[in-house]
Amino acid sequence: MTALSVVGFTATPAGAQPDRPPSPASVGPIGWDVYRSLDAMAALRPGAQSKQFSSFDRTGGNEDGFGGVYSCLRITAEGCVIAEKTGAGEIESMWFTRDYGNMVNNGKLKVELDGRAVLDSSLQDIVDGRLGAPFVWPLVGNGDDTSGGSVIKVPMPYQHSMRVTVQHNPLFYHVTYREFPDAAGVRTFDPRDRALDVVDRLRGFGIRDPKPAASRARTSSGTADIPDGGTAKFASLGGPGTISQLRVTLPQLISEPRVRDDGRAFGAGGHSSFRVAIDPANTGVRLTRRPDPAIGHQVADVSVDGKPAGRWTTGAPTPRGVWADQVLDLPPSLTAGKSALTITNTFVSSDLDINEFRYDVHSRVDGKWRRTDVLDLGPQHPGEEKAHGYQLTMQSWNGFQIYRYQRDPATLAASQAVLSGARLRITFDGKTTVDSPLGEFFGSGLGKFDGRTMLSSIDATDGGALTAWWPMPYRQGAVVELVNQSGQPITQATVEVTAAPTPAVDAGLRPGGGLGYFTATSHKGLTQNGADWTILQAAGRGVFYGVTQSMTGLITSGNRRDYLEGDERVYVDGVGSPQWHGTGTEDFFESGWYFRDGTNFAMPLTGNPAYKLDGDGCRYDCTGAVRLMAGDAVPFSSALTFGIEHGPANNEPAEYSTTAYWYGQPDAGMRQTDLVDAGNDTSRDDHDYTAEGETRGTLTSSFEGTQYKVPVTHDVTAATGEVGFTMALDPRNAGARLVRLGDQNAAYQQAAVFVDGRQVGTWTQPLGNKTLRWLEDTFALPAGVTGGRSSIDVRIVPAKGAPAWSAAQYRLEVLT
């Protein structure tokens, strides 16, 4: 498309200028601050919009990438363009899958920002981490790291434009990005910035708090027995302050029996070694090893930083198919004052070889064991192995096993009941915003499965804690309680709450302030045929940060995992087209191929900790997954509907339970101030509407998303020349958005947008759909051209060579 020259600012009528410069709506953290400022997650982001390109079926069916029919926006000499936009913004997340997670057949991935290539290499090499920082695990992950997908989570800001091209049709993908109203504070992504502090922070996911340390933070702890039907209060805090960590320990919880894990083995003359993190304040370190005890008489000497520290011994072989963890306490003299250890395991003897699947590391601090590292090794954990410097000599085997821990059925059922029936309840400033099943809140609603994300952790070792690091601000006070509705008595529940005084949140949490209250919205029930499962429906202002989803499939035969074919659809601020439209449930969780047929994985922002099949409280097929968001969190200013299908056409029976994590305030931060109906002569006259080269007609079609079967009839126009109109707005605004209803029969409509004579950007819409033709899209107007004005003159000038500019209506929404 031909770029249009920037036209100079033209003075607006007298009295239209604001008395003082408007305060623009915040867009949230930009670039690496997405990960460096997690303590500020409560800050609302009304100035930004989170949007997505994906390969979803444009007809409403399930051809979401199998044949690549809808995967390319357009084809160029360099390949398949999958994302393209003009204006300021930031690419947040890219996900791909094909060939069971292998990306070789995609060829090269090219990312162009502001006209310059910042990434141009083999996609497989990128997600394998071969380019080096910042494109290393876990900011990237391949099909083994993510059980079938490939991800790039490096935030890439741009000032004017972005384009993502894949050399060959990528089949399944999504690219999630944010749009900003202008380039204020935006510096174009520089791939030479290795961001090693971010890499290090994320490699501690599920182990340590990723937020900056809070000044004057204190931890309170309480222990109580809670009878069935009872409630126990564990913390009552005065404000203003912020909770930075919650930790719950219930001795009666036991881990789930069925575990699929991959590992390696080494024979005579061999050894393994790796680095692990520990707490320098430790008075001892404990290693927990998961071996396959069916290989008898495994003996290996353990050294710490080259010094003898103990010995692993498995004894006589056990029946195949049974896990049996081992624990080794390291001498405190070898661990005191250190923040890291190098562990070496050296073959001594075995009936066959020495095998190892996983190591959990706990440091004893202040008399309590705290998990300080995990090495989940094996061929399906290449990123984790490399990050721990894992090395192996004389390898004799690698692969995976699906084994079981021996569990008493009654004890297991009681543990599951407590995790699903006990509820975490948190009240901030007199309002309860968290009332969630205990297990699901921390990442697993299907039992005590080991799970790690950037903001939560479930330690499945004996006595392991449930931990969360969401920042939770409050003005006057916060109360933390456990409510026991499990049908089981809870004994010796310990809850630790870490909080710090935070005077700055007092103003931000007041009505109209810029902070939201932490909220966890949970609900459970049977799916309804023909309707999305609603993860969150909210009014007011907020930011959606993710969900833990527990899926109990009720498909009795055939493809019992067909419920995973459901796409997510996200609607924001009343716009009729979804801002996100995904390609499948495991795709939303950034995995692939039904989580590689049930392979568990953990990454900082996504994971599949739980899978059950025909037992252990699951009648057929059950899946638990978690998706958190950082830069790609979804802001809203008046309303949000975040839903997901169950099956390819919302047709598969299931029982779903979800806990959505978000921050919000009940008051709306956006409202409509005007509407131009381009097909109505009275509305055109009222708004001084003009259009050059215009044709007018009537269209009957449908929207993409949940309404793809609902026909809508409306007058619609198309113009090849300049379109102009005036619109009213509230001068007390922090920016505004034009919402256009139009016909997307022709893709790549593009036009320069002028407000009161000043070009504020180029409106580019690469999407096109010849089947479901109605589209509502948005264009952000910065506060610098809307603040203090009671009306604006808008001119839209189609680009030379672009399709005719289509419009049925324009709404003006102002941010307040």
Side-chain angles (χ1 to χ4, degrees):
M1 303 298 176
T2 303
L4 298 178
S5 60
V6 177
V7 176
F9 178 75
T10 301
T12 54
Q17 295 288 347
D19 294 333
R20 56 185 178 181
S23 178
S26 171
V27 301
I30 300 172
W32 292 116
D33 283 346
V34 161
Y35 297 114
R36 289 171 175 154
S37 60
L38 294 172
D39 55 333
M41 293 177 72
L44 305 182
R45 311 176 178 183
Q49 299 177 80
S50 179
K51 297 185 177 182
Q52 184 184 84
F53 291 106
S54 82
S55 56
F56 76 94
D57 188 330
R58 278 17 179 207
T59 69
N62 198 42
E63 173 46 78
D64 293 321
F66 296 101
V69 178
Y70 306 103
S71 299
C72 302
L73 298 173
R74 62 186 177 114
I75 304 293
T76 68
E78 294 184 301
C80 170
V81 176
I82 62 172
E84 190 165 17
K85 267 296 182 178
T86 52
E90 180 167 294
I91 297 173
E92 306 293 356
S93 177
M94 288 185 274
W95 164 90
F96 306 87
T97 199
R98 66 178 302 156
D99 304 335
Y100 216 52
N102 188 308
M103 296 294 106
V104 170
N105 286 329
N106 279 340
K108 296 176 70 174
L109 174 73
K110 185 174 185 179
V111 178
E112 297 169 273
L113 305 178
D114 299 333
R116 181 173 64 91
V118 298
L119 190 60
D120 189 6
S121 188
S122 156
L123 178 55
Q124 188 65 62
D125 285 350
I126 295 169
V127 298
D128 284 347
R130 294 177 183 169
L131 272 63
F135 297 98
V136 294
W137 182 89
L139 284 164
V140 301
N142 64 22
D144 293 320
D145 296 310
T146 67
S147 297
S150 288
V151 296
I152 301 171
K153 310 295 285 189
V154 174
M156 304 184 202
Y158 50 90
Q159 296 182 331
H160 308 297
S161 65
M162 69 88 160
R163 179 186 298 146
V164 181
T165 306
V166 182
Q167 184 178 3
H168 307 299
N169 189 313
L171 304 186
F172 297 89
Y173 77 90
H174 63 236
V175 176
T176 309
Y177 65 103
R178 279 188 293 165
E179 287 185 349
F180 305 149
D182 56 32
V186 178
R187 296 179 61 186
T188 305
F189 171 71
D190 183 353
R192 296 171 298 180
D193 183 350
R194 303 179 69 201
L196 294 179
D197 63 313
V198 173
V199 173
D200 179 69
R201 182 173 301 181
L202 293 184
R203 285 183 172 176
F205 73 97
I207 300 299
R208 55 184 184 266
D209 189 346
K211 306 187 302 297
S215 175
R216 295 186 293 160
R218 297 184 62 182
T219 299
S220 60
S221 178
T223 301
D225 296 335
I226 314 172
D228 180 39
T231 299
K233 182 187 296 185
F234 289 91
S236 183
L237 308 170
T242 302
I243 294 174
S244 60
Q245 177 178 278
L246 286 176
R247 177 173 280 134
V248 177
T249 306
L250 282 73
Q252 70 203 91
L253 299 182
I254 61 172
S255 64
E256 291 291 314
R258 183 186 185 277
V259 174
R260 183 194 194 281
D261 200 5
D262 60 318
R264 301 185 187 273
F266 56 92
H271 72 272
S272 69
S273 65
F274 50 90
R275 298 187 304 275
V276 296
I278 62 173
D279 192 318
N282 77 84
T283 56
V285 170
R286 172 172 291 171
L287 297 182
T288 302
R289 169 189 177 226
R290 177 182 292 158
D292 176 0
I295 307 302
H297 302 104
Q298 298 179 51
V299 180
D301 282 336
V302 180
S303 67
V304 171
D305 296 332
K307 297 181 180 179
R311 171 172 282 190
W312 298 117
T313 304
T314 61
T318 63
R320 289 192 66 83
V322 178
W323 295 116
D325 289 353
Q326 293 182 289
V327 174
L328 178 64
D329 287 339
L330 303 178
S333 60
L334 299 180
T335 65
K338 296 181 178 180
S339 59
L341 306 174
T342 296
I343 307 295
T344 303
N345 303 298
T346 302
F347 183 97
V348 176
S349 61
S350 172
D351 291 350
L352 180 63
D353 50 23
I354 306 295
N355 61 70
E356 51 194 4
F357 290 75
R358 177 187 173 101
Y359 290 93
D360 287 81
V361 183
H362 291 77
S363 299
R364 188 173 180 84
V365 179
D366 296 330
K368 298 178 180 179
W369 290 105
R370 305 295 195 200
R371 187 162 69 169
T372 52
D373 210 346
V374 172
L375 169 58
D376 200 348
L377 59 94
Q380 293 167 356
H381 293 87
E384 196 158 348
E385 284 189 337
K386 187 175 181 180
H388 286 86
Y390 180 78
Q391 296 181 352
L392 186 70
T393 64
M394 304 300 292
Q395 178 170 287
S396 56
W397 175 85
N398 71 85
F400 71 90
Q401 306 286 14
I402 302 175
Y403 282 3
R404 295 178 63 83
Y405 287 98
Q406 294 179 328
R407 297 287 184 255
D408 173 67
T411 305
L412 177 63
S415 175
Q416 293 170 343
V418 168
L419 283 171
S420 62
R423 302 182 73 86
L424 175 68
R425 187 166 68 192
I426 310 178
T427 302
F428 300 106
D429 297 339
K431 182 179 180 180
T432 298
T433 63
V434 176
D435 186 1
S436 301
L438 187 63
E440 198 167 83
F441 177 86
F442 287 98
S444 172
L446 295 175
K448 194 179 183 185
F449 286 92
D450 194 275
R452 289 176 290 147
T453 73
M454 182 174 70
L455 292 166
S456 63
S457 170
I458 296 178
D459 179 355
T461 60
D462 289 345
L466 317 177
T467 308
W469 293 287
W470 295 95
M472 307 178 191
Y474 48 92
R475 288 182 55 232
Q476 298 170 327
V479 176
V480 179
E481 301 170 294
L482 289 185
V483 181
N484 187 5
Q485 301 171 352
S486 69
Q488 301 286 330
I490 294 176
T491 57
Q492 294 296 293
T494 300
V495 177
E496 300 173 50
V497 180
T498 301
T502 321
V505 305
D506 181 69
L509 289 173
R510 291 179 183 273
L515 300 180
Y517 284 98
F518 176 74
T519 307
T521 299
S522 303
H523 69 118
K524 179 179 181 178
L526 296 174
T527 57
Q528 300 298 312
N529 194 45
D532 283 8
W533 174 264
T534 301
I535 291 173
L536 180 63
Q537 189 162 23
R541 301 178 292 137
V543 185
F544 176 89
Y545 275 103
V547 61
T548 294
Q549 183 162 349
S550 308
M551 295 161 274
T552 299
L554 300 176
I555 305 170
T556 59
S557 61
N559 179 9
R560 296 192 299 172
R561 309 212 79 192
D562 198 45
Y563 60 89
L564 292 173
E565 292 292 339
D567 306 341
E568 84 275 11
R569 281 88 79 94
V570 183
Y571 293 85
V572 179
D573 295 336
V575 175
S577 298
Q579 291 192 183
W580 289 28
H581 193 311
T583 60
T585 299
E586 78 273 32
D587 305 353
F588 168 66
F589 291 102
E590 299 192 323
S591 180
W593 311 105
Y594 296 165
F595 300 102
R596 272 196 178 167
D597 301 314
T599 302
N600 305 120
F601 78 97
M603 292 281 280
L605 294 161
T606 56
N608 170 221
Y611 180 52
K612 295 186 180 185
L613 187 65
D614 298 324
D616 303 325
C618 174
R619 186 176 179 184
Y620 301 114
D621 184 285
C622 303
T623 302
V626 60
R627 168 79 185 271
L628 303 182
M629 302 163 190
D632 51 345
V634 183
F636 57 97
S637 293
S638 62
L640 174 76
T641 298
F642 202 121
I644 195 165
E645 293 177 294
H646 47 97
N650 272 328
N651 58 321
E652 295 293 8
E655 182 180 66
Y656 278 7
S657 180
T658 50
T659 293
Y661 311 102
W662 58 290
Y663 292 83
Q665 290 277 9
D667 58 309
M670 172 180 280
R671 65 185 183 87
Q672 180 179 312
T673 60
D674 208 346
L675 182 148
V676 178
D677 189 334
N680 181 280
D681 289 335
T682 300
S683 181
R684 291 166 69 101
D685 291 343
D686 290 344
H687 293 88
D688 298 325
Y689 191 95
T690 60
E692 298 175 2
E694 182 184 57
T695 59
R696 298 173 66 174
T698 301
L699 173 64
T700 298
S701 189
S702 300
F703 286 91
E704 297 162 346
T706 59
Q707 302 299 304
Y708 78 99
K709 292 183 178 180
V710 180
V712 174
T713 300
H714 202 286
D715 293 337
V716 66
T717 69
T720 57
E722 179 178 311
V723 177
F725 49 89
T726 61
M727 300 192 85
L729 73 166
D730 186 336
R732 297 165 298 177
N733 71 79
R737 290 177 195 155
L738 281 174
V739 182
R740 173 183 62 143
L741 171 64
D743 181 359
Q744 61 169 331
N745 181 58
Y748 275 92
Q749 297 178 41
Q750 186 179 51
V753 179
F754 297 80
V755 174
D756 294 332
R758 174 182 176 183
Q759 183 173 351
V760 294
T762 301
W763 194 337
T764 302
Q765 182 49 270
L767 296 178
N769 193 329
K770 295 184 179 298
T771 303
L772 306 175
R773 290 170 57 176
W774 285 121
L775 176 73
E776 276 200 325
D777 62 345
T778 64
F779 184 86
L781 302 177
V785 299
T786 62
R789 290 167 170 81
S790 58
S791 69
I792 54 174
D793 175 71
V794 178
R795 287 193 299 124
I796 297 174
V797 183
K800 183 179 180 181
W805 184 259
S806 174
Q809 286 184 345
Y810 294 95
R811 301 199 314 271
L812 186 62
E813 308 272 358
V814 299
L815 295 165
T816 57

